């Protein structure tokens, strides 16, 4: 048990390059990859984006794939990044190994769905296409395209912190000897769907983003994929994962708390796990999206953790755009490149300090980086932090309690319309007015379980879903089609991400603990329960709430649904 | 003006899914955000869509909406002055 988690390979594609070398060159030359749209088809051509400079066809050719497809950019970019990572790690044959491929994505194969959405309703030959939101499918395709056909696939959907959570899960599985080799990261393409979604939230800058600048006016979306190969005590080591944490802001689905509570908790816990003091960190790759909200909240959290001695800090989203679910691994790989090449990446676009705020670095070279911190925060307050180290971290005691000590303390299933009015006992009509049936059902089953167990809040919340917020996301797709990408409803988008349920439970119970959402088809619940047991056996939690939910649609509206919440407790 | 106030209330009820509410339950001068009706940042974005869709008024940011969305009367006054349709 235990053992140091080594990163033995890494692969990356983003707006500033299609491999490690190109990305490194752009970082050193301080060249941003954000510019006008070329491959994404949208009427919003005034919105700058960070596109990968490859067409879907080119990526297909690079991977030697045949056939008409359709091919999702998520899967193609992901496979290219995985291939580069495996090559660096010198891994050719994985047939004798227990391998896990863990990917973070939230857009999933939506880039394909949105191209065919209208036609899929009437053309039976297109019915085989993923209708929407099946994130797990992209991970299976990545495995298939990159020669990892025998890997166990797992997809994490915690919006913009997905890829960091994927790396953390990989580290935990290795420490527990559940696998021999992990390939973890994330992949997210640009889509009309989330470009329009972020546009309804009015957080897209029409200029290049300016993280931590007083004049910042929002983010630029980017696309990207990055994966790392993780092994235990490996000889060919690039760096080590020494600390990490996943915490929840539990404040609002799309807004951040003013004091940055979730970010503060994630950073302090990651430092504690790494056995480090704030002063040991030499560089922070901030989440730094460039939105007024994020940068203010993250600044507040920095001040709480580091006081007046903030280490060099930058947001590399000024180069890549915000690669959303892939941001965690894209930026972790950027941190690794910085560590290997002794430099600190500059924050581009910054010129006006926020009064009383933090100041990002303009970059430095010739610095040996021993400890680096990487932040990724997502919708729903899914906040994660990862610490990388040059040297092998000191071995830590790791004991797992017997699995037989875990018991199901309470369980509740909500699957009919007749049950839903009972939610009034817990939430006001004002609080539930935007919610679709699946969110109402999930919350009701969660509240019922907590009430039965006599518990105010759990220590951790884990969700499992195959299709996520299927109705809401379909309604938003309809909205995009019917209204030609204009005057769309933010209400539909803000609760369309898969992590809506887990974060809604956290917000309503005030649970700042571990919070994650798994989406891997029929195996989603398996991953969720396995993770709950991991937390309980490690002593990281005493009570873990696991909520499995899914819905069926007819004519675009919920026709059947089921939410099953289980409270697992360790004695 | 009275008709405009009534229209705006109905548009708010519809866009913000205030299903159980009627226009007379919304006080013309009561704050819409915080302690009054208790709307949040997403509602503010929906109000921006209403102004654009129904009255041809384009607000650039939620910050710009802060003064306008203080109460239903504030919205009505702003609409009367700035509407393009």
């Amino acid at each position: 048990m235990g053992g140091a988690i080594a990163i033995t390979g890494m692969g990356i594609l983003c707006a500033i390059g299609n491999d490690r070398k190109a990305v490194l060159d752009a970082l050193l030359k301080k060249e941003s990859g954000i510019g006008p749209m070329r491959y994404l088809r949208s009427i919003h051509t005034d919105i700058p984006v960070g596109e990968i400079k490859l067409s879907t066809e080119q990526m297909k050719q690079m991977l030697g794939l045949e056939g008409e497809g359709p091919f999702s950019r998520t899967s193609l970019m992901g496979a290219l990044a995985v291939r580069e990572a495996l090559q660096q790690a010198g891994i050719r044959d994985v047939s004798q190994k227990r391998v896990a491929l863990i990917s973070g994505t939230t857009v999933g194969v939506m880039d394909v769905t949105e191209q065919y959405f209208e036609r899929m309703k009437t053309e039976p030959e297109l019915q085989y296409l993923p209708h929407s939101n099946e994130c797990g499918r992209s991970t299976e395709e990545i495995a298939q395209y990159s020669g990892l056909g025998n890997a166990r696939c797992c997809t994490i959907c915690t919006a913009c912190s997905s890829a960091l959570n994927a790396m953390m899960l990989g580290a935990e599985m290795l420490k527990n000897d559940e696998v021999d080799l992990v390939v973890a990261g994330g992949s997210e393409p640009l889509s009309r769907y989330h470009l329009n979604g972020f546009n309804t939230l009015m957080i897209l800058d029409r200029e290049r983003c300016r993280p931590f600048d007083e004049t910042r006016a929002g983010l630029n979306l980017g696309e990207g994929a990055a994966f790392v190969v993780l092994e235990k005590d490996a000889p060919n080591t690039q760096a080590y994962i020494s600390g990490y944490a996943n915490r929840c802001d539990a404040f609002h689905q799309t807004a951040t708390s003013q004091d940055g509570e979730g970010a503060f908790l994630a950073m302090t816990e990651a430092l504690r796990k790494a056995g480090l003091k704030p002063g040991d960190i030499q560089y922070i790759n901030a989440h730094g999206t460039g939105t007024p909200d994020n940068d203010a909240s993250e600044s507040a959290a920095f001040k709480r953790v580091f006081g007046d001695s903030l280490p060099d800090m930058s947001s590399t989203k000024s180069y890549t755009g915000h690669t959303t679910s892939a941001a965690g691994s894209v930026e972790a790989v950027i941190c690794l490149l910085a560590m290997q090449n002794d430099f600190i990446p500059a924050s581009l676009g910054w010129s006006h300090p926020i009064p009383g705020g933090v100041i990002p670095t303009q970059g430095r070279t010739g610095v040996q980086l021993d400890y680096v911190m990487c932040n990724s925060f997502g919708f729903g307050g899914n906040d994660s932090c990862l610490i990388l180290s040059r040297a092998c971290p000191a071995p830590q005691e790791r004991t797992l309690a017997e699995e037989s000590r875990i018991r199901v303390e309470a369980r509740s299933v909500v699957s009919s319309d007749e049950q839903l009015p009972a939610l009034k006992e817990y939430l006001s009509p004002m609080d539930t007015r935007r919610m679709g049936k699946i969110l109402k059902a999930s919350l009701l089953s969660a509240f019922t379980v907590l009430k039965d167990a006599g518990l105010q809040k759990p220590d951790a919340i884990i969700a499992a879903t195959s299709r996520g917020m299927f109705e809401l996301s379909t309604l938003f797709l309809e909205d995009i089609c019917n209204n030609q990408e204009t005057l769309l409803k933010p209400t539909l988008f803000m609760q369309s991400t898969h992590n809506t349920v887990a974060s809604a439970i956290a917000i309503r119970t005030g649970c700042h603990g571990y919070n994650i959402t798994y989406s891997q088809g029929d195996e989603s619940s398996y991953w969720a329960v396995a993770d709950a047991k991991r937390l309980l056996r490690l002593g990281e939690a005493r009570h873990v709430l696991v909520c499995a939910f899914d819905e069926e649609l007819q004519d675009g509206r919920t026709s059947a649904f089921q939410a099953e919440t289980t409270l697992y407790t360790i004695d | 003006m009275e008709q405009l106030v009534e229209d705006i209330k109905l548009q708010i009820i519809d866009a913000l899914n205030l299903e159980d509410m009627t226009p007379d339950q919304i006080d013309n001068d009561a704050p819409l955000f915080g302690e009054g009706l208790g709307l949040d940042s997403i509602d503010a974005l929906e109000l921006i869509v209403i102004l654009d869709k129904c009255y041809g008024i384009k607000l650039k940011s939620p910050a710009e909406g802060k003064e306008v969305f203080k109460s239903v009367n504030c919205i009505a006054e702003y609409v009367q002055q700035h509407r393009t349709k």
Side-chain angles (χ1 to χ4, degrees), chain A residues 227-255:
Chain A
F227 283 85
V228 292
V229 176
L230 303 179
E231 296 176 84
K232 215 153 73 170
D233 306 318
N236 177 28
T237 298
Q238 312 290 327
Y240 293 88
I241 292 182
S242 58
Y244 43 83
N246 158 327
R247 290 293 178 265
C248 190
D249 205 32
F251 176 72
H252 186 273
Q253 186 56 31
T254 51

Side-chain angles (χ1 to χ4, degrees), chain A residues 252 254 433-434 487 489 491, chain B residues 15-17 40 43 46 52:
Chain A
H252 186 273
T254 51
R433 70 203 150 94
R434 294 186 188 124
L487 298 175
K489 281 186 75 63
T491 298
Chain B
L16 275 45
N17 300 70
D40 69 3
D43 297 308
E46 288 285 356
D52 197 344

Side-chain angles (χ1 to χ4, degrees), chain A residues 135 148 150 228 235 278 294 358 400 414 419 435 501 505 513 540 561:
Chain A
C135 290
L148 285 180
N150 70 331
V228 292
N294 175 80
V358 296
L400 290 177
V414 176
Q419 290 171 280
M435 296 178 184
V501 162
I505 299 171
E540 300 236 330
F561 59 89

Side-chain angles (χ1 to χ4, degrees), chain B:
Chain B
M1 189 69 172
E2 220 168 275
Q3 186 56 47
L4 180 62
V5 167
E6 183 78 5
D7 288 348
I8 290 170
K9 285 183 180 178
L10 287 171
Q11 285 150 356
I12 290 177
I13 288 170
D14 179 51
L16 275 45
N17 300 70
L18 303 169
E19 286 157 10
D20 302 329
M21 274 196 144
T22 55
D24 53 322
Q25 285 174 296
I26 304 176
D27 188 318
N28 292 2
D29 288 308
L32 291 171
F33 292 83
E35 283 175 21
L37 198 52
L39 302 184
D40 69 3
S41 55
I42 295 295
D43 297 308
L45 296 167
E46 288 285 356
L47 294 177
I48 291 174
V49 176
I50 293 178
L51 289 194
D52 197 344
K53 218 180 222 172
C54 306
Y55 305 105
I57 298 171
K58 288 189 193 298
L59 296 185
K60 283 197 195 71
S61 70
E64 230 177 283
K66 261 196 176 150
E67 286 299 304
V68 183
F69 301 145
K70 273 186 172 164
S71 66
V72 173
N73 270 343
C74 285
I75 300 177
E77 273 167 39
Y78 190 84
V79 167
Q80 207 160 36
Q81 285 166 26
H82 297 89
R83 66 190 298 170
T84 60
K85 67 178 179 189

Side-chain angles (χ1 to χ4, degrees), chain A residues 388-465:
Chain A
L388 300 165
S389 68
R390 178 184 295 266
C392 185
Q396 287 175 341
E397 192 70 24
R398 187 178 177 92
T399 46
L400 290 177
E402 287 296 321
E403 193 172 329
S404 57
R405 284 175 51 200
I406 299 171
R407 62 186 166 85
V408 171
E409 189 163 349
R411 177 170 282 156
S412 160
V413 179
V414 176
S415 58
S416 75
D417 288 329
E418 290 74 41
Q419 290 171 280
L420 296 181
L423 190 57
K424 283 198 182 112
E425 191 188 325
Y426 306 98
L427 295 175
S428 70
M430 194 65 188
D431 219 0
T432 58
R433 70 203 150 94
R434 294 186 188 124
M435 296 178 184
K437 281 183 189 174
I438 194 65
L439 183 52
K440 285 181 179 165
S442 303
L443 282 168
L444 178 58
S445 70
F447 287 136
T448 307
V449 157
L450 290 173
K451 191 182 174 190
D452 289 351
L455 200 65
Q456 288 280 321
K457 62 177 172 189
D459 302 315
I461 299 167
I462 303 178
T465 180

Side-chain angles (χ1 to χ4, degrees), chain A residues 474-485:
Chain A
T474 305
L475 286 172
F476 193 62
L477 271 170
E478 296 273 359
D479 203 15
I480 293 172
C481 292
N482 297 342
N483 297 304
Q484 291 82 46
E485 301 185 57

